[in-house]
Amino acid sequence: MGRMIDLVRPDNPLLRHGEPPRFDLVEAAHVEAAIRDLIARQEAGCVALEGSLVPTWAGLVEPLRRLMEPLSFAWSVVSHLLSVRNSPELRTAHERVQGEVVTAGMRIGQSEPLYRGLMQLKGDGYVGLDPAQRRAVDASIRDAELSGIGLQGAARERFNALEIELSELGTRYSNQLLDATKAFALTLTNVADVAGLPASALAQAAASARAAGHADASAEHGPWRITLEIPLYLPFMEHAKRGDLRERLYRAYVTRAAAAPHDNGPLIERILAARREQARLLGFASYADLSLSIKMAQTAGEVEKLLAELRDAARPHAERDLAELTAFARGETGDPRLVLRHWDIGFWAERLRERRYGYDEEALRPYFALPRVLDGLFALARRLFGIDIHSTDGVVPVWHADVRFFQVHDERGQQIAAFYLDPYSRPAEKRGGAWMNVCLDRVRGSDGALRLPIAYLICNQSPPVDQTPSLMSFSEVETLFHEFGHGLQHMLTTVDHPEVAGINRVEWDAVELPSQFMENWCYHRPTLLSLAKHWQTGEALPDEVFTKLDAARTYRAGSQFLRQVYFSTLDIELHRLPDDGSVAGVVARVAAGNTVLPPLPEDRFLCGFSHIFAGGYAAGYYSYKWAEVLSADAFAAFEEAGLDDAEAVARTGRRFRDTVLALGGSRHPAEVFAAFRGRGPSTVALLRHNGLG
Ligand code: ZN
């Protein structure tokens, strides 16, 4: 240990915290020495604080923050680089210290002296603390309690054993799902077998065949290999004309990981039982109650009420969707008695979509050039929130030449935040998807000086080619708006305590409110038309294209809603199952009430539901729909004020900024929402926007 510390040079760029990272200097070789040094210092500081703490904000919470910041900052830079500038060296360095970083975090989270100090601060009536500080204290106490700190002796040991068992079960569940998914493949050699597949799907299927050893596979002549991985599975289900092959694939998909040697069935039973036991040890009646104790929805009853509203609204539409699709398929096939089965739905739904809304996604790209889309987005931010955004490339080091840096100013010209934008796909070194992450939190030091928040906005859109700028698809535009919404909540915070500033400590089911809220503006005609101009001719997006985009938004919304309600209900019910309850019984009951086309008798969908068995969504899958209710209802406040009334939009935008964006995690989200909306959330707007109202 000591030797590693000696090797840390003071100019190691990972040791500088609290300022924009030196991406021009950081290398994989810096990681191990810096992280081990910071862990050792944190550990020593923790021991000292445990012995000297005074149960006040300045005597406990602030020193704890100062103690943890150097390591958490360095680690966040390493993690960030791992996702945007990956390399074998960085991955190795990251793996070498990752376990030690996790252990160091647990050491603090489970420290009894720190916990007792926080409890005393609370017990003394939070003397001198504002509501944001109280929430920060409560959240730390709650974290410690949910990790079992209040348990003694045998109960504590049992809790820890369950914790370890659950983490192993989750890993086994996802490994078995992965193995089962890999174990199935349909290798097709006849052109007629792949009739209907678009060129991109044929190319992928041929690439999959090559990877499996068919060295001369080509998109044109095959062989084509279809697996249960979504990028191959989904296009086949949506486009392949061979119904019998779709059926084989579908049956394989819904029975994934449901039989030896990759049977997740027994793991599901054990995971549910272990969670149930943990919840009881902590004093909750069920695991659903435990999960909801840290969400915006506080009881299963609240979640069920929402799901019931959505179910009642969606069901008749889902029934109509099926009837309509059946009539369409009968017309197309000339078979008046045709009955659609599960493996037919995706195929016919795509045909009907093409018929109704047919526009070529690719043909829209020239209307969405990144520079103009950014101008339009920033102009919208000015109209809504009174902020100005300027490009200031070059003032800080970046991790790639394409990365941009922007500063955010308020109406008085005062800088309040900044963000990096890494827009383009770089498959060789950058993870897929899009996300917002925190670079620096807003914090006011004990000397009164303010440090401004900085965000990372990461997308994976098409890069520019030669003289052509990045031409975005409409869904890439929506993604940019979405991540920008997350970024706004981080950057426009007015909270000075980083523990609860910005997105920190925003409940899981409320965190998508600002992001989905921003997406709504992509369907606001004047906003979209202001940024959708042909990059060469300047010609506006044709009006009828906008109309189709807007109409396609509600296509089969009833069916999609009902499906999400089905999964959400199943998740909650399974996590309220009594000791002698039957998983199969719950599935049968919930399916009967929440599907239009009941699952096949052999359907074992739960064996592949990794969101709740191997991800973070246990008794939390409903969060998707919960946050959509909030974001749609927030947008409705602008509709009510009058979308064409610039002054009313600015007034409402200011209120959104002062509540949702400014308060972030410093208040309970129900309180924040009520401060913006003047009442609790309502499902009316979400249902109306989706044509279900
Ligand atoms: Zn999001």
Side-chain angles (χ1 to χ4, degrees):
M1 190 86 169
R3 201 176 146 262
M4 284 311 296
I5 296 169
D6 294 340
L7 288 175
V8 186
R9 296 169 49 106
D11 60 350
N12 186 317
L14 286 172
L15 298 183
R16 314 154 69 119
H17 61 91
E19 51 186 276
R22 293 300 305 266
F23 292 114
D24 52 336
L25 302 177
V26 179
E27 286 170 25
H30 294 123
V31 174
E32 278 187 73
I35 296 297
R36 291 218 169 94
D37 176 50
L38 293 169
I39 288 174
R41 286 197 229 172
Q42 179 172 295
E43 172 59 26
C46 185
V47 172
L49 182 62
E50 284 173 339
S52 67
L53 71 89
V54 182
T56 60
W57 187 262
L60 171 54
V61 183
E62 270 179 354
L64 187 57
R65 176 204 307 158
R66 281 197 297 274
L67 179 64
M68 293 173 71
E69 193 187 73
L71 174 60
S72 82
F73 179 74
W75 191 239
S76 80
V77 172
V78 174
S79 308
H80 172 69
L81 285 174
L82 197 67
S83 50
V84 295
R85 200 172 74 195
N86 203 305
S87 69
E89 298 75 29
L90 187 63
R91 211 175 314 159
T92 306
H94 182 268
E95 271 167 22
R96 285 212 178 115
V97 288
Q98 183 175 28
E100 292 161 55
V101 174
V102 172
T103 307
M106 277 167 38
R107 157 82 179 81
I108 291 185
Q110 296 180 353
S111 156
E112 303 235 2
L114 297 180
Y115 171 70
R116 281 197 302 272
L118 290 166
M119 286 298 279
Q120 199 179 334
L121 178 53
K122 179 178 180 160
D124 292 345
Y126 308 95
V127 177
L129 268 54
D130 63 29
Q133 291 170 309
R134 291 178 194 197
R135 218 173 107 89
V137 170
D138 287 346
S140 299
I141 290 175
R142 196 187 63 199
D143 279 358
E145 287 174 347
L146 293 185
S147 68
I149 203 159
L151 301 175
Q152 309 297 327
R156 179 78 170 270
E157 273 169 40
R158 181 68 189 144
F159 184 90
N160 289 344
L162 287 167
E163 189 74 14
I164 292 165
E165 188 191 351
L166 274 169
S167 114
E168 286 167 1
L169 286 167
T171 307
R172 267 176 60 202
Y173 180 99
S174 50
N175 286 343
Q176 295 206 136
L177 180 58
L178 205 66
D179 291 345
T181 304
K182 273 196 220 152
F184 179 93
L186 206 55
T187 302
L188 306 170
T189 49
N190 195 332
V191 177
D193 296 344
V194 292
L197 290 193
S200 60
L202 289 171
Q204 285 216 50
S208 159
R210 281 196 299 276
H214 300 273
D216 50 358
S218 73
E220 241 190 321
H221 305 292
W224 302 272
R225 187 170 174 269
I226 311 296
T227 70
L228 300 179
E229 289 156 303
I230 290 297
L232 290 161
Y233 173 78
L234 212 58
F236 196 88
M237 297 306 289
E238 289 180 346
H239 299 287
K241 291 185 179 168
R242 283 276 304 265
D244 57 331
L245 294 178
R246 290 200 311 264
E247 176 177 355
R248 268 180 71 188
L249 211 56
Y250 179 84
R251 288 184 185 275
Y253 192 82
V254 297
T255 52
R256 267 183 317 161
H262 312 297
D263 191 358
N264 273 346
L267 299 188
I268 289 172
E269 303 274 354
R270 186 61 209 136
I271 289 171
L272 292 173
R275 284 179 181 160
R276 197 156 55 223
E277 193 181 342
Q278 269 201 328
R280 290 208 190 120
L281 283 167
L282 295 176
F284 295 96
S286 71
Y287 188 83
D289 289 340
L290 186 162
S291 165
L292 294 172
S293 75
I294 51 172
K295 303 266 186 340
M296 176 175 174
Q298 287 178 305
T299 64
E302 273 186 72
V303 174
E304 274 162 3
K305 180 170 166 290
L306 168 74
L307 295 176
E309 277 182 53
L310 300 183
R311 180 184 304 121
D312 291 348
R315 204 180 166 101
H317 290 268
E319 282 163 1
R320 209 168 309 153
D321 286 345
L322 182 59
E324 200 177 69
L325 202 61
T326 303
F328 173 72
R330 285 177 178 173
E332 293 296 298
T333 56
D335 175 358
R337 278 188 299 277
L338 180 72
V339 174
L340 294 182
R341 307 293 308 271
H342 292 89
W343 45 88
D344 300 321
I345 302 294
F347 176 80
W348 287 111
E350 279 313 294
R351 301 294 78 74
L352 183 55
R353 185 202 303 274
E354 285 163 5
R355 176 71 52 87
R356 272 200 198 152
Y357 312 108
Y359 53 83
D360 182 356
E361 270 264 355
E362 292 303 303
L364 297 189
R365 286 185 185 268
Y367 293 94
F368 298 114
L370 177 66
R372 196 185 274 277
V373 170
L374 282 180
D375 285 348
L377 175 58
F378 297 165
L380 175 67
R382 190 178 317 120
R383 288 201 302 281
L384 295 180
F385 310 123
I387 54 171
D388 276 302
I389 298 172
H390 305 284
S391 150
T392 50
D393 294 329
V395 306
V396 295
V398 292
W399 55 91
H400 185 277
D402 288 340
V403 175
R404 313 275 318 269
F405 191 70
F406 297 90
Q407 289 179 348
V408 182
H409 295 259
D410 67 10
E411 45 282 276
R412 293 185 305 277
Q414 196 80 30
Q415 195 196 336
I416 51 176
F419 64 96
Y420 299 87
L421 173 66
D422 184 350
Y424 312 131
S425 157
R426 289 192 302 279
E429 62 169 15
K430 182 173 164 184
R431 174 160 77 78
W435 64 94
M436 190 286 290
N437 221 335
V438 171
C439 172
L440 285 174
D441 285 309
R442 176 186 160 105
V443 57
R444 193 175 295 279
S446 36
D447 56 355
L450 190 62
R451 188 183 77 200
L452 299 181
I454 302 182
Y456 300 121
L457 263 52
I458 315 292
C459 296
N460 259 295
Q461 65 195 53
S462 330
V465 181
D466 300 327
Q467 298 311 306
T468 309
S470 168
L471 300 178
M472 305 166 71
S473 70
F474 181 67
S475 76
E476 288 171 349
V477 174
E478 285 183 282
T479 300
L480 177 65
F481 273 58
H482 179 104
E483 301 310 333
F484 186 74
H486 282 306
L488 286 173
Q489 190 171 36
H490 174 61
M491 296 188 286
L492 299 190
T493 188
T494 54
V495 178
D496 290 340
H497 315 296
E499 292 80 5
V500 287
I503 61 164
N504 295 333
R505 294 293 186 185
V506 175
E507 275 73 356
W508 183 283
D509 46 356
V511 83
E512 297 296 335
L513 161 55
S515 51
Q516 294 177 348
F517 164 79
M518 287 305 293
E519 283 182 50
N520 281 284
W521 294 96
C522 295
Y523 294 93
H524 177 234
R525 189 183 296 256
T527 299
L528 191 76
L529 294 182
S530 78
L531 56 83
K533 299 255 166 44
H534 195 284
W535 76 279
Q536 283 165 310
T537 63
E539 171 209 352
L541 184 77
D543 219 46
E544 71 269 17
V545 175
F546 175 82
T547 306
K548 281 182 181 171
L549 278 173
D550 193 40
R553 191 185 182 192
T554 60
Y555 179 57
R556 293 180 61 79
S559 304
Q560 282 164 23
F561 266 58
L562 195 60
R563 188 177 160 82
Q564 293 293 88
V565 168
Y566 171 43
F567 294 163
S568 305
T569 310
L570 201 50
D571 169 37
I572 291 284
E573 296 277 310
L574 287 171
H575 287 102
R576 300 178 80 187
L577 197 67
D579 288 331
D580 56 355
S582 141
V583 169
V586 170
V587 174
R589 182 163 49 77
V590 174
N594 293 277
T595 58
V596 171
L597 204 57
L600 298 178
E602 64 269 38
D603 187 305
R604 299 291 304 282
F605 144 78
L606 284 184
C607 292
F609 196 6
S610 50
H611 273 82
I612 68 166
F613 292 112
Y617 279 90
Y621 194 83
Y622 76 93
S623 297
Y624 287 110
K625 276 280 165 280
W626 185 275
E628 267 183 61
V629 169
L630 303 178
S631 57
D633 199 13
F635 188 72
F638 290 81
E639 295 175 320
E640 287 159 21
L643 288 174
D644 300 325
D645 178 345
E647 201 201 317
V649 165
R651 204 168 48 237
T652 313
R654 184 70 216 194
R655 199 167 72 239
F656 190 78
R657 178 180 162 187
D658 289 342
T659 52
V660 175
L661 300 178
L663 298 174
S666 72
R667 304 282 175 86
H668 191 273
E671 220 179 289
V672 175
F673 188 87
F676 169 63
R677 205 61 175 100
R679 57 163 173 74
S682 147
T683 56
V684 171
L686 179 66
L687 294 175
R688 176 168 53 78
H689 292 160
N690 284 280
L692 307 175

